[in-house]
Amino acid sequence: MSQKQITVVIVGMGFGKEFIPIYQSHPNIKAVGICTRSKQTRDELAAKFNLDEDLVFEHFEDIPAREDVDAIHIVTPVPEHARMTLASLNAGKHTACTIPMAMTKEDCIAIVDAKRKAKKVYMMMETALYTREFLYGLKLAETGELGRIQFVRGSHIQDMSMEGWGEYWKGYPPMLNGTHAISPLLKINNTIAETVVCHGSGRLSDDLASRYGSPFAVETATFTLKNSDVVAEATRSLFDVVRQYRESYDVYGTKMSFEWEQLQDESHIIFDGGENAKRVDVPDTDELLIEPIKHFTKREKIDDPNHVSFLQGAGHGGSHPHLVQEFVAAIIEGRDSAVDAALAANYTCAGICAHESAMNGGIRVDVPSFEE
């Protein structure tokens, strides 16, 4: 890898702050900046990470115009994603954004167009595609150990009434933020979603249901996949359902199948023929990373283990250094990222279209393809 140096600003210091030391450890990063409205957070992080005060921002609007900033990494509340991503790309910045890409099909289309015009790297920072658990299953698929994949299932069940989640989450339609449950199912089949049928189940309290006009406690979708005879099923809930956090995928093949653990840290299961079943602790993924950022796959490297996203997500499965490595490598190598705008838009719209289907009694909805 060449020694080209880039400056990146991370916007949003909830779990966004976890990325500061990873970027700082990367050999192709010249400088790291931050943006948050909280003066106390700005001061604390600037001191802790010895940040250049000229790269510490209160307002996002001040960043895109800066000629000394090469890339912007957005880790803000979901309603801000599309606006900030478009501002970044339209200013000619390489842009990374946490999930989902946007909240509407129209905004996804606009981002794909902006990325193509800008000729810059866009990457949706989908943690689910870089967890140690997913990378383990992906390797089983790519090496042929699973045989032919016959079915995949994913879930993302969480309790967003816990302290620490933003007000805008209350009543949020489950599949409108479906990429954690959906993207692994599409990626392991190396394809995109084509159509979806989704059913809403149960009822939210009146207060929650009124906020987005969405009554369902759970949404369950089945997707048809491009150039595949596999159907993918995904289930999502955020409120009024009692269960420990679960962000899972299961994959069933002709030679082997993998199922996600029922309870956190009780180990996943491999089925390899007949009635055989064995629990497996999936290995860490540090051998896939460059030396300076390998150690960031470890749970104990998390700076703020009490952040609600980590409490529920078990530290995002060691995914953060992989996200940084892929985003920076795409910039340095002048190529699209592994979760480029066109792919991210399909992953995101799969969930948006699923919610649309649920709200219309389970009709089949075509998921847009953004491939050129």
Side-chain angles (χ1 to χ4, degrees):
M1 198 179 275
S2 76
Q3 283 310 300
K4 183 179 173 187
Q5 298 285 295
I6 63 173
T7 295
V8 61
V9 176
I10 307 164
V11 185
M13 289 291 120
F15 80 85
K17 63 176 169 289
E18 300 299 326
F19 290 92
I20 301 170
I22 306 175
Y23 279 115
Q24 285 186 326
S25 302
H26 196 293
N28 289 107
I29 295 294
K30 178 181 177 183
V32 179
I34 62 168
C35 178
T36 177
R37 288 189 289 262
S38 164
K39 184 176 189 313
Q40 181 184 349
T41 303
R42 289 198 303 276
D43 292 346
E44 284 174 4
L45 294 174
K48 178 175 181 177
F49 293 107
N50 194 26
L51 302 175
D52 179 345
E53 62 183 36
D54 204 36
L55 289 172
V56 176
F57 299 89
E58 179 180 4
H59 301 293
F60 168 78
E61 289 69 27
D62 296 333
I63 306 168
R66 284 282 291 262
E67 288 187 10
D68 55 343
V69 172
D70 304 293
I72 299 175
H73 179 171
I74 298 159
V75 200
T76 56
V78 173
E80 303 291 338
H81 291 184
R83 176 179 71 83
M84 290 183 174
T85 296
L86 287 167
S88 178
L89 287 170
N90 289 337
K93 306 301 182 194
H94 301 292
T95 307
C97 185
T98 187
I99 62 103
M101 178 186 237
M103 290 176 68
T104 67
K105 283 189 270 191
E106 292 72 22
D107 280 342
C108 289
I109 291 165
I111 291 168
V112 172
D113 288 346
K115 186 264 170 191
R116 284 180 182 148
K117 287 195 185 91
K119 295 185 169 59
K120 296 293 179 180
V121 172
Y122 169 90
M123 182 168 172
M124 184 169 77
M125 299 301 236
E126 175 52 87
T127 55
L129 296 179
Y130 289 95
T131 63
R132 55 185 77 86
E133 296 86 357
F134 179 70
L135 292 172
Y136 176 78
L138 185 63
K139 190 174 182 184
L140 294 178
E142 290 177 345
T143 57
E145 288 178 79
L146 293 174
R148 189 171 72 253
I149 294 176
Q150 301 282 35
F151 181 63
V152 285
R153 175 190 290 128
S155 76
H156 184 190
I157 312 244
Q158 64 189 131
D159 176 6
M160 296 196 94
S161 65
M162 278 175 68
E163 281 298 312
W165 290 111
E167 185 71 16
Y168 74 90
W169 281 116
K170 291 186 174 149
Y172 200 99
M175 274 293 172
L176 212 52
N177 183 23
T179 70
H180 283 342
I182 297 166
S183 61
L185 313 181
L186 305 184
K187 176 70 174 175
I188 205 165
N189 284 287
N190 191 29
T191 187
I192 57 174
E194 281 199 321
T195 73
V196 58
V197 170
C198 183
H199 295 286
S201 180
R203 283 292 178 272
L204 293 176
S205 67
D206 290 346
D207 171 51
L208 291 174
S210 68
R211 294 178 184 232
Y212 287 88
S214 176
F216 305 120
V218 180
E219 289 179 336
T220 291
T222 47
F223 300 90
T224 60
L225 311 183
K226 184 177 180 181
N227 299 328
S228 174
D229 48 18
V230 174
V231 165
E233 174 196 292
T235 300
R236 182 88 169 91
S237 74
L238 298 91
F239 291 94
D240 291 353
V241 174
V242 176
R243 200 212 186 280
Q244 183 186 48
Y245 183 93
R246 192 166 197 242
E247 187 185 309
S248 73
Y249 77 95
D250 303 326
V251 55
Y252 300 92
T254 52
K255 295 182 188 171
M256 183 188 282
S257 297
F258 170 94
E259 277 188 7
W260 195 272
E261 60 195 7
Q262 275 292 325
L263 301 176
Q264 190 175 306
D265 297 331
E266 74 169 9
S267 301
H268 309 288
I269 305 167
I270 287 286
F271 302 89
D272 60 4
E275 293 299 301
N276 292 351
K278 62 182 180 188
R279 293 204 178 272
V280 294
D281 290 317
V282 299
D284 220 327
T285 51
D286 45 357
E287 84 281 355
L288 301 172
L289 293 160
I290 58 173
E291 194 64 43
I293 61 174
K294 277 184 175 183
H295 58 294
F296 288 106
T297 60
K298 307 290 189 281
R299 237 189 242 191
E300 60 271 17
K301 287 303 293 181
I302 290 168
D303 191 55
D304 177 12
N306 297 315
H307 189 280
V308 67
S309 188
F310 288 142
L311 283 175
Q312 291 197 332
H316 295 166
S319 59
H320 293 176
H322 292 277
L323 295 170
V324 168
Q325 177 165 296
E326 173 59 18
F327 181 49
V328 174
I331 294 170
I332 300 301
E333 295 164 19
R335 59 171 174 82
D336 285 341
S337 76
V339 197
D340 176 49
L343 194 58
N346 179 263
Y347 291 170
T348 300
C349 286
I352 293 170
C353 292
H355 176 59
E356 183 185 324
S357 170
M359 293 298 288
N360 287 282
I363 60 167
R364 186 172 298 279
V365 176
D366 291 330
V367 181
S369 163
F370 296 86
E371 296 169 319
E372 292 201 76

